[in-house]
Amino acid sequence: MQKVYNFSAGPSVLADEVKLQAQKDFLNFNGSGMSVTEMSHRSKWYEDINNEAGALLRELMGIGDDYYVLFVQGGASTQFEAVPLNLLVKGKADYLVTGNFAEKAAKEAQKYGDIRIAASSKDKAFTYIPDLDTVEFRDDIDYVHFTMNNTIFGTRFTKFPKTAAPLVTDMSSNILSEVVDVNRFQLIYAGAQKNIGPAGVTIVIVKKDAIDHPMAICPTMLKYSTQAAADSLYNTPPCFSVYMSMLTFRWLKKLGGVAEIQKINEYKAGLLYDFIDNSSFYTNRVNPADRSIMNVPFVTPSPETDAKFIKEAAANGLVSLKGHRLAGGMRASIYNAMPVEGVKALIDFMKKFETENR
Amino acid sequence: MQKVYNFSAGPSVLADEVKLQAQKDFLNFNGSGMSVTEMSHRSKWYEDINNEAGALLRELMGIGDDYYVLFVQGGASTQFEAVPLNLLVKGKADYLVTGNFAEKAAKEAQKYGDIRIAASSKDKAFTYIPDLDTVEFRDDIDYVHFTMNNTIFGTRFTKFPKTAAPLVTDMSSNILSEVVDVNRFQLIYAGAQKNIGPAGVTIVIVKKDAIDHPMAICPTMLKYSTQAAADSLYNTPPCFSVYMSMLTFRWLKKLGGVAEIQKINEYKAGLLYDFIDNSSFYTNRVNPADRSIMNVPFVTPSPETDAKFIKEAAANGLVSLKGHRLAGGMRASIYNAMPVEGVKALIDFMKKFETENR
C-alpha cells in the first residue's frame, strides 16, 4: 500500500507505534485472552488501563493532586454545556470568541446564565487573537472561557487572559502539544481525537474544589462530581479509546514528554509557515504572532486551484487537506503524531504543484 | 494462549470473526492507508461506515422510515435523563422498576417530572417481572418506561405493558438477541457494549414525530433532534465503536439475522437452566417464566463456595463470572457472541466443581 500522510483535523493521525501495539494486542490484551474492546470495565485489566492513563496524563502535564483527571463521553461539544452547568455559581461568565467552537461554547452557555462576549475576532474572519492587554473582564464572574487553539482558523493563544477570575479553556486541538501550566486553570477540557487517541473519550482536568455546586438542572451524567467520585467508572467508560490514549501517553513519555514534542511541533510548523511565507502562490491569512502550530490553513490564488490541489494531494497520499467549510481552502493539521517527514512530503508536493499551476 | 470464554455482563464477548476483521484492517481500512481510529468522520470512508451501520441495524430489527436510528455517546445512563428531557410534554410518566438500572432510570426521571412507579419487583430482590395483567397505568402520561432485560438480576419481559401510552424501553442487554416488534415502541435505547460492539456508542431508535418537544432545560447534546438532523454526525462520533458495531451487524446478518440468533440463544440458555434446575448444588432464584436468556445468575450452597467457584473457573479460562455486588453469587452472561461451546464448557466445569465440592 502507498504510504499515506493523514492531515485530518480530527479524528487525526495516531503514532505508528501506538497503532501497531494496539493491533498486536487486539485479540489478547496482556495475556487475558480478551480484546480491550470486550473486557469488563470492572476487571483488573481495565482498572490498570484506567489508572495508568490517568497517572501518565498527570505526569505529562504536571497535574497536581488538587485536580481531578476525568475520562468522560460526549466530546467537547458536551463540555460547552457541562462547564456552565457545573461552574456557574454567581451565574456570570465572560467568553472570548476566537472561532467557531469558541462561539458555540458561548452560545450554549448563554442558556444557563449571564454570558458576556468579552472580545471577538469575528470581524476579521477569526484570523487573529484579540489583544489581551486591552480586553476587560467583569469583576464578579465565575470564570473566563477561551479556546486555546482554534482548529478551523489556525490561531492560538500564546498568552492567557489577564483576570483574577478562574480560567477555563478548551484544549481539544493543542493538548499535549506544548507546555502549559495547568495551575493557571480552573478547568481544562479536550476531545481526545486530535492529539491523544480515537474519538469517544473527552479529557476533563478540573480543580477539586470547583465541582461541588452544579446547577440544580444539571443532569447527573454531566456533573463532574459523578465521575470524580467513581474515578471515571460511574458507568461503562469508552474503554478502547481510553486504552489507546494510554498508549499515546506512553509513546509521548518515551519520546521525552511535552517539552520535547513542543520543539518538534515548532520545527514542523516553522518549516510549513516559512515555505508559505516565502511563496507568492500560497497564502496563510493568520496574524503571524497568533499562528497555530497544530493547524495550518492556506490558500492558492483561486478556489478552483484549491480544489485541484486537494484532489491531486490526495492522489499523492497526502489526505484530508480540505479546509473546513467555514474557512475554505486547505488546512494541514500537523498534530503530535504527524512525523516531520509528513510535513516535508507536503512541502515537496506544494512546490511541485506550484510549478505546474502557477 | 489458553482459550478463554468471557462471561462478562458488559463490555462483553465479541464474535471472533468481528475481532479478526477489525484487527486485519486496523492499520489500513479499505485501502485508505489509515486506521478507523484516526480517520476524519467527515471522510467518505467513515460516512460509508455510518450509513452501513444504520442501514444494517434497520434491516436486522425491521425499523421503519418513521423512526430515527441514532448513534450517540454517554451510555444508557445518559438516556435515563435524555428520555424524560425529550419526551416529557405533559410532564408525567410511569415506570416499571425491575432492577437496578430500571430504578436508576426512574430516579433520574423524577428530577424532570411527575414520575410514578407503576410496579416494582424490589420486594423479592428483583427475581421476577410484575404481572402485567394487573399493573395499572395513568391515563394522561407521556410514556411507560421499562427495562426489557435486567442484566444484574437475570429477568426479562416476555410480554409488554398493557397501555395506550407510548412505550419506552432500555434494551441494553437484549438488543438483537430476540425478535422484538419495534413498532410497539416510541423509543428504544441500548448501550452497545453487550450485544453489539465496544463501549462508547449508544443506540437510540426513536419515532420521528416524538422528538420535537424537548424540555427547555434539555442540553443541546442530549436532544435527539440534534443528532437526528445531522445523521449522528453533529459532532465527532465514537467512530471505532460504530465501525465495530457495523462489523457485528454484518456478522449477525450473515448468520441469519435476529430470528436465527434467538434460536441459538434459547438453546444456550436452555442448556444452562436445565443443568442448574437438575442440580441440587446450584440454584437460580429467578421466577422460571421471567428468566433472561442473556444473563443467568446462580449460586452454590454458600458464599464461600461461590468465591471458590469464581476463582477456579477463571483459572480454567471461564472468566468474569462473578455476580454483580447487588446480587452476589455468579452470573453467566451469554450474549449473542458467546458460542455454544462456551456454555458447554461452563456446564462441564460446573459438573466437575460440584463433584469436588459437594
Side-chain angles (χ1 to χ4, degrees):
Chain A
M1 99 178 141
Q2 186 195 12
K3 174 73 185 173
V4 159
Y5 289 112
N6 171 14
F7 293 94
S8 170
S12 319
V13 57
L14 299 175
D16 284 343
E17 188 177 319
V18 166
K19 287 180 285 181
L20 285 164
Q21 185 75 42
Q23 186 190 39
K24 181 170 163 283
D25 293 345
F26 198 77
L27 300 180
N28 180 13
F29 174 73
N30 247 1
S32 65
M34 292 180 281
S35 171
V36 177
T37 56
E38 62 181 352
M39 60 170 50
S40 171
H41 62 298
R42 306 288 178 201
S43 67
K44 181 72 173 67
W45 294 290
Y46 187 74
E47 201 181 297
D48 287 348
I49 290 170
N50 189 51
N51 290 341
E52 184 179 341
L56 283 172
L57 187 61
R58 283 182 179 277
E59 185 181 344
L60 287 165
M61 291 184 70
I63 303 167
D65 288 341
D66 47 339
Y67 288 84
Y68 289 112
V69 170
L70 308 177
F71 299 111
V72 298
Q73 293 187 60
S77 295
T78 299
Q79 294 307 310
F80 297 164
E81 302 183 272
V83 164
L85 282 165
N86 281 276
L87 301 188
L88 283 180
V89 177
K90 298 170 199 158
K92 291 184 185 179
D94 285 0
Y95 277 63
L96 296 173
V97 171
T98 55
N100 181 54
F101 293 111
E103 193 168 34
K104 276 193 178 178
K107 188 179 156 232
E108 297 294 356
Q110 273 158 357
K111 298 183 304 193
Y112 304 114
D114 172 6
I115 305 300
R116 182 176 151 263
I117 309 300
S120 167
S121 54
K122 200 172 186 176
D123 60 333
K124 292 185 185 166
F126 296 125
T127 53
Y128 70 102
I129 299 294
D131 178 6
L132 296 171
D133 289 332
T134 62
V135 177
E136 286 179 14
F137 300 99
R138 294 180 290 181
D139 285 331
D140 52 344
I141 55 177
D142 289 304
Y143 62 86
V144 167
H145 179 283
F146 67 103
T147 310
M148 205 184 289
N149 185 83
N150 295 281
T151 322
I152 296 176
F153 302 97
T155 61
R156 73 160 168 160
F157 283 76
T158 50
K159 293 176 295 183
F160 301 143
K162 292 181 174 176
T163 169
L167 296 180
V168 172
T169 192
D170 178 355
M171 286 184 68
S172 291
S173 52
N174 74 322
I175 190 166
L176 294 174
S177 72
E178 58 182 317
V179 176
V180 168
D181 181 3
V182 171
N183 294 311
R184 298 281 303 271
F185 296 89
Q186 177 97 324
L187 189 149
I188 292 170
Y189 63 92
Q193 69 272 13
K194 298 172 194 293
N195 262 318
I196 293 179
V201 61
T202 310
I203 311 285
V204 175
I205 301 160
V206 58
K207 273 295 256 308
K208 285 184 177 173
D209 60 12
I211 66 167
D212 295 330
H213 306 287
M215 294 174 68
I217 59 164
C218 183
T220 300
M221 287 300 291
L222 297 194
K223 285 181 189 168
Y224 298 127
S225 53
T226 301
Q227 294 294 4
D231 205 11
S232 302
L233 295 170
Y234 173 79
N235 66 329
T236 315
C239 303
F240 193 73
S241 294
V242 174
Y243 159 70
M244 285 196 71
S245 299
M246 178 198 76
L247 294 180
T248 296
F249 298 154
R250 281 186 190 168
W251 166 78
L252 187 53
K253 182 181 173 183
K254 203 168 77 176
L255 199 138
V258 178
E260 201 57 33
I261 200 84
Q262 179 174 352
K263 288 182 209 161
I264 300 170
N265 287 331
E266 285 167 350
Y267 173 69
K268 289 187 300 189
L271 287 177
L272 191 49
Y273 284 121
D274 283 351
F275 172 74
I276 292 170
D277 289 344
N278 287 314
S279 152
S280 56
F281 186 78
Y282 300 103
T283 311
N284 168 281
R285 294 167 178 150
V286 172
N287 181 34
D290 302 325
R291 283 171 166 174
S292 168
I293 59 170
M294 294 283 99
N295 310 96
V296 182
F298 58 94
V299 291
T300 67
S302 78
E304 295 71 31
T305 320
D306 289 350
K308 192 176 175 207
F309 180 99
I310 293 158
K311 199 177 162 188
E312 291 186 15
N316 282 274
L318 306 167
V319 306
S320 291
L321 277 163
K322 190 176 179 181
H324 191 279
R325 63 183 165 74
L326 294 176
M330 280 73 70
R331 170 180 48 177
S333 293
I334 51 175
Y335 297 116
N336 284 359
M338 172 59 66
V340 173
E341 299 73 47
V343 176
K344 288 184 174 169
L346 172 60
I347 293 171
D348 287 345
F349 174 78
M350 290 170 79
K351 283 181 192 162
K352 182 166 160 284
F353 185 84
E354 179 177 347
T355 308
E356 292 167 2
N357 294 275
R358 198 194 302 270
Chain B
M1 95 178 144
Q2 186 195 11
K3 176 73 186 172
V4 160
Y5 290 111
N6 170 15
F7 292 94
S8 171
S12 320
V13 58
L14 298 175
D16 284 343
E17 188 177 318
V18 165
K19 287 181 284 180
L20 285 164
Q21 185 73 42
Q23 185 190 41
K24 180 169 162 284
D25 294 344
F26 198 77
L27 301 179
N28 181 13
F29 173 73
N30 249 0
S32 66
M34 291 180 281
S35 171
V36 177
T37 56
E38 62 182 353
M39 60 171 49
S40 172
H41 62 298
R42 305 289 178 200
S43 67
K44 181 71 172 64
W45 294 290
Y46 187 73
E47 202 182 297
D48 287 348
I49 291 170
N50 189 52
N51 290 341
E52 184 178 342
L56 283 172
L57 187 62
R58 283 182 180 276
E59 185 181 344
L60 287 165
M61 291 184 71
I63 303 167
D65 288 340
D66 46 339
Y67 288 84
Y68 288 112
V69 170
L70 308 178
F71 299 111
V72 298
Q73 294 187 59
S77 295
T78 299
Q79 294 308 311
F80 297 164
E81 300 181 275
V83 164
L85 283 165
N86 280 275
L87 301 189
L88 283 180
V89 177
K90 299 171 197 156
K92 292 184 183 178
D94 284 0
Y95 277 63
L96 296 172
V97 171
T98 54
N100 181 53
F101 293 111
E103 193 168 35
K104 276 194 178 178
K107 187 178 157 233
E108 296 294 355
Q110 274 159 356
K111 298 183 305 192
Y112 305 114
D114 172 6
I115 304 301
R116 183 176 151 263
I117 309 300
S120 167
S121 54
K122 200 171 185 177
D123 58 332
K124 292 184 184 166
F126 297 124
T127 52
Y128 70 103
I129 299 294
D131 178 5
L132 295 172
D133 289 332
T134 62
V135 177
E136 286 180 15
F137 299 99
R138 294 180 291 180
D139 286 330
D140 52 345
I141 55 177
D142 288 305
Y143 61 87
V144 168
H145 179 284
F146 68 103
T147 309
M148 205 184 289
N149 186 82
N150 295 281
T151 322
I152 295 176
F153 301 98
T155 62
R156 71 160 168 160
F157 284 77
T158 50
K159 293 176 293 183
F160 301 143
K162 292 183 175 176
T163 169
L167 296 181
V168 173
T169 192
D170 178 355
M171 286 183 69
S172 291
S173 53
N174 74 321
I175 191 166
L176 293 174
S177 73
E178 57 180 317
V179 175
V180 168
D181 181 2
V182 171
N183 294 312
R184 299 279 305 269
F185 296 90
Q186 177 97 326
L187 189 148
I188 292 170
Y189 62 91
Q193 70 272 10
K194 298 173 195 294
N195 261 319
I196 294 179
V201 62
T202 310
I203 312 285
V204 175
I205 301 161
V206 58
K207 272 294 253 308
K208 284 185 178 174
D209 59 12
I211 66 167
D212 294 331
H213 305 288
M215 294 174 68
I217 58 163
C218 182
T220 301
M221 288 300 292
L222 296 194
K223 286 181 188 168
Y224 298 127
S225 52
T226 301
Q227 294 293 4
D231 204 13
S232 303
L233 294 170
Y234 173 78
N235 66 329
T236 314
C239 303
F240 193 73
S241 293
V242 174
Y243 159 70
M244 285 197 71
S245 299
M246 178 197 76
L247 294 180
T248 296
F249 299 153
R250 281 187 190 167
W251 166 77
L252 188 52
K253 182 182 173 181
K254 202 167 76 175
L255 200 136
V258 178
E260 201 56 36
I261 199 84
Q262 179 174 351
K263 288 181 208 160
I264 301 171
N265 287 332
E266 285 167 351
Y267 174 69
K268 289 186 300 188
L271 287 178
L272 191 49
Y273 284 120
D274 283 352
F275 173 74
I276 292 170
D277 289 344
N278 288 314
S279 152
S280 56
F281 186 77
Y282 300 103
T283 312
N284 169 282
R285 295 167 177 150
V286 172
N287 181 33
D290 302 325
R291 282 171 166 176
S292 168
I293 58 170
M294 295 282 100
N295 310 97
V296 183
F298 58 94
V299 291
T300 67
S302 78
E304 294 70 31
T305 321
D306 289 348
K308 193 178 177 208
F309 180 97
I310 293 158
K311 198 177 162 187
E312 291 186 15
N316 282 275
L318 306 167
V319 305
S320 292
L321 277 163
K322 189 175 179 181
H324 192 278
R325 63 184 164 73
L326 295 175
M330 282 72 71
R331 171 180 47 177
S333 294
I334 50 175
Y335 297 116
N336 284 358
M338 172 58 68
V340 173
E341 298 72 44
V343 176
K344 289 184 174 168
L346 173 61
I347 292 171
D348 287 345
F349 174 79
M350 289 170 79
K351 284 180 192 163
K352 182 167 161 286
F353 185 85
E354 179 177 347
T355 309
E356 293 167 2
N357 294 275
R358 199 194 304 269

